[in-house]
Structures are given as structure tokens and as C-alpha cells.
Amino acid sequence: MEDEKLVAELKAKHGSIRTLIVPLDEDDASKKATIYLKKPDATSRDMAQKLAQKDSKLAIKGFLNTLYIGGDSLQLVYDSDDAMESLSYAVAELISVQRTEIKKN
């Protein structure tokens, strides 16, 4: 119930939000962190893509630091190799945008 209230407050303040449930330990499925992110914009996407060319962990941290609006501490995630590895897929998905549909008439 507390999470629902927090989500409602974050949505009211930030509009569309993203909830990430991040596994902290590959060997213990009960260890998870929940973090809330605001919707990525062009600036945050560009930043993450540029950083990813140099260092993927730096890109993940920069992206999360820019978009983080609540939930568990990001340090929990940063201290877990399992979490950082799983986040690489989530960040890649968040960076991507919807494709425009092209129809030939």
C-alpha cells in the first residue's frame, strides 16, 4: 500500500514514471531493490549513449543519477555486480524510442 501511495505521488509530480525491480543477488531472488525513474528525455538518452561508448557502468550510473526520483538507494544497486549487469538491459530498453511506422502507398 505504501508503494502505491509513493507511485501516485511521483506520478503527480513527474508525470509518466518507470519502476525498476532490480535483482541484487543472482543467488537470492528475495534480494531486490525498487527504484523509480522519471521518463527519459532526449538529453538523458544522448548522455547515456555517449557514455556507453566509453564505459557501460559509467553510462548506467549517469543515466540512473539523471532520472532517479525515488525508491531504494541507488548505492544498493551500484554496490551489486549482479544488479549492474541486469541494469545494462533495462537501460538499453529505456534509451530506445518507439519507431515510426512507414507505409508505402
Side-chain angles (χ1 to χ4, degrees), residues 33-99:
T34 301
I35 56 176
Y36 301 101
L37 307 177
K38 61 185 174 181
K39 182 179 176 181
D41 58 12
T43 303
S44 59
R45 285 187 179 101
D46 289 345
M47 179 266 310
Q49 289 173 335
K50 287 176 184 171
L51 287 174
Q53 294 172 1
K54 296 179 182 183
D55 181 342
S56 62
K57 285 189 177 184
L58 185 61
I60 291 169
K61 288 180 179 182
F63 192 71
L64 294 179
N65 287 339
T66 301
L67 301 176
Y68 178 80
I69 54 174
D72 292 318
S73 166
L74 287 177
Q75 197 60 49
L76 279 173
V77 174
Y78 297 158
D79 290 342
S80 166
D81 288 335
D82 292 337
M84 291 298 288
E85 190 172 319
S86 74
L87 275 168
S88 63
Y89 298 104
V91 169
E93 188 174 326
L94 287 168
I95 289 172
S96 66
V97 294
Q98 289 183 326
R99 293 181 179 232

